[in-house]
Amino acid sequence: MALYAVDKPLYLTSHDAVEEARRLLGTRRVGHTGTLDPLATGLLLLVSDESTKLVPFLSGEDKEYIAWVSFGATTPTLDAEGPVSEEAPVRFERKDLESVLPSFLKLKEQVPPLYSAIKVGGKRAYEAAREGKPLELGPRPVRYLEVELLALDPEPIPHPIAPSAKGWRLAEKGGRKVELPKPLGPYPTAVIRLVVGPGTYVRAFARDLGEKLKTKAFLSGLVRTRIGKVGLERAVKLSELSPEKAIPETDVLPFPVVELSHTEARRVLEGVPLPIPALGYVALVDSRRRLLAIAEGDGFKLKIRRVFVKEA
């Protein structure tokens, strides 16, 4: 099995990244656990071969981002792709911005961007928008866990970033360089750290933040810094991807790990439930820490949900 953390470069689509990974890894069986827009950079989790079976267990993970939100203008796609479609005056101060951010923590639903991959009647929303026939998208469930202002600048500034005990932040010294899309203008820009649940569009966050501050806003840059348990610090450059750069599945899966004896492992591979008193999903490994299966416990026994190897 093979799972990889890569740092997606700017302007590359997630599909492009998968195609390059297929070439570098020498296999067609490569996928990802969640897309990243072309104008965003940062962590993309790739899976290959048997690890593609892990995708359903990883796609619901919380994600951390550092977002650059520019005020005073907006674009059709709500990001820096452009062109600017509307401008508005910016009259708020830093304290006003700080006062509205906590309101997102109470948000339960949010309207997705018109340019999104959501399907309505079999058609992608972005396809309809590009044809000049935008779809009516209703609000979707969202979850904001953390929203923190890191900086407020007179224009988009690519601050270096670094991990800390409280998530990724702007680096005081050194740090990881950030590449932002070409600025659409010298618009005032906030740098905001976000931790969100699955299905949350950061471009929608930028739009709604502008509305709360009685102006227009768009996402002028984005870095994904964490997916579940995996941080950007573990990512390798896409161009340096190789089978040797794989990370253990148990480092990624959000479940407790149970090591099995040889006899227990053989029972698992036969699909026999184990009398282990666990609740929820668990990852079952053998003495060599190989991922054998994912099981679900009801408090009395484990029922096997997915087996990943054939022999104990």
Side-chain angles (χ1 to χ4, degrees), residues 179-201:
E179 186 179 5
L180 299 180
K182 182 179 179 181
L184 298 180
Y187 297 108
T189 300
V191 185
I192 300 171
R193 175 179 167 270
L194 298 166
V195 178
V196 301
T200 305
Y201 285 88

Side-chain angles (χ1 to χ4, degrees), residues 113-120 123-130 133-135 137:
L114 292 177
Y115 284 79
S116 63
I118 292 172
K119 274 188 175 182
V120 177
K123 195 173 187 71
R124 299 284 186 186
Y126 67 81
E127 294 173 344
R130 286 173 180 163
K133 301 175 182 178
L135 302 175
L137 300 179

Side-chain angles (χ1 to χ4, degrees), residues 34-37 40 59-65 67 78 104-105 107-113 115-118 139-147 193-208 219 222 224 226:
T35 60
L36 199 56
D37 287 344
S59 56
E61 289 294 87
D62 295 337
K63 300 174 178 66
E64 180 189 58
Y65 297 91
L78 301 179
F104 285 92
L105 300 176
L107 203 62
K108 302 298 182 184
E109 292 185 323
Q110 194 169 36
V111 177
Y115 284 79
S116 63
I118 292 172
R140 300 290 180 104
V142 295
R143 187 158 51 104
Y144 288 85
L145 301 171
E146 297 181 48
V147 184
R193 175 179 167 270
L194 298 166
V195 178
V196 301
T200 305
Y201 285 88
V202 184
R203 287 179 289 131
F205 165 78
R207 175 200 64 204
D208 293 351
L219 191 66
L222 186 69
R224 185 155 67 192
R226 181 175 60 80

Side-chain angles (χ1 to χ4, degrees), residues 148-171:
E148 179 185 4
L149 179 64
L150 302 181
L152 182 58
D153 302 314
E155 61 184 3
I157 296 175
H159 298 280
I161 60 176
S164 75
K166 296 183 178 180
W168 280 72
R169 280 170 164 68
L170 306 188

Side-chain angles (χ1 to χ4, degrees), residues 85-86 273 276 308:
S85 56
E86 189 176 354
I276 297 176
F308 295 98

